[in-house]
Amino acid sequence: GTNNTSTTATTTPAPPTPTSSTGARAPLLTPLEFSVWLERVWFSAVSTPSFLLADSFSVHTADLTKKFVLKEDSVLAIIPRACSSKLQPLHQGIKIRFRNHVEEMFLSTVKTSIGKGEGKPSPTKSMIISWVQEAFDAIKDDKEEIVRSFKRADIFHT
């Protein structure tokens, strides 16, 4: 007689390997690393309960992230894919203002360096950090701009 029995091996597929826009493997932030950021940066500076609005980046939607935020008596709201440009308050003016400030500081450094005949400058890490701090300080004190950004994103209604 013929043997009609067969065995089929099943395996669980491995998770996809993160890649950059060029297709090469890219080191991305892991959920564990993000939880460290949440603990040391977000929750150390923001009182709880809090509301954290994030895009749909996989680290933001990871179970570890959700559990960590809930443990801190806070809410994590995820913006659906391809909607950040409309729903993310940072994209409604704050991000552009931040970037423009840092770019202005860099261009000022370039002009000064070239004007002195020193050639193209290579900003140090401490210079870049100071530019970022200056941009942050200028924006964080402009409460009206922050409120306008949330209103433009039409997330909260008052």
Side-chain angles (χ1 to χ4, degrees), residues 2 4 25 63 79 100 125 130 136 141-142 144 149:
T2 47
N4 289 334
R25 285 186 182 185
D63 286 341
I79 296 172
N100 287 346
K125 288 180 185 177
S130 72
F136 173 75
D141 292 334
D142 189 351
E144 290 176 9
S149 294

Side-chain angles (χ1 to χ4, degrees), residues 85-118:
S85 64
K86 298 290 183 196
L87 299 176
Q88 172 56 274
L90 288 175
H91 291 260
Q92 303 300 322
I94 296 171
K95 183 177 168 182
I96 292 165
R97 195 167 151 201
F98 181 89
R99 184 184 66 218
N100 287 346
H101 184 89
V102 172
E103 285 178 1
E104 285 173 17
M105 298 302 294
F106 172 73
L107 290 174
S108 174
T109 301
V110 169
K111 289 176 184 176
T112 301
S113 182
I114 291 174
K116 291 180 179 178
E118 298 171 353

Side-chain angles (χ1 to χ4, degrees), residues 1 5 23 32 39 46 61 68 76 81 91 95 103-104 106 119 138 145 148 152 154:
T5 60
L32 181 58
E39 179 181 14
V46 177
T61 62
F68 191 86
L76 174 64
R81 291 190 186 279
H91 291 260
K95 183 177 168 182
E103 285 178 1
E104 285 173 17
F106 172 73
E145 175 64 27
R148 277 193 303 273
R152 282 187 213 117
D154 200 29

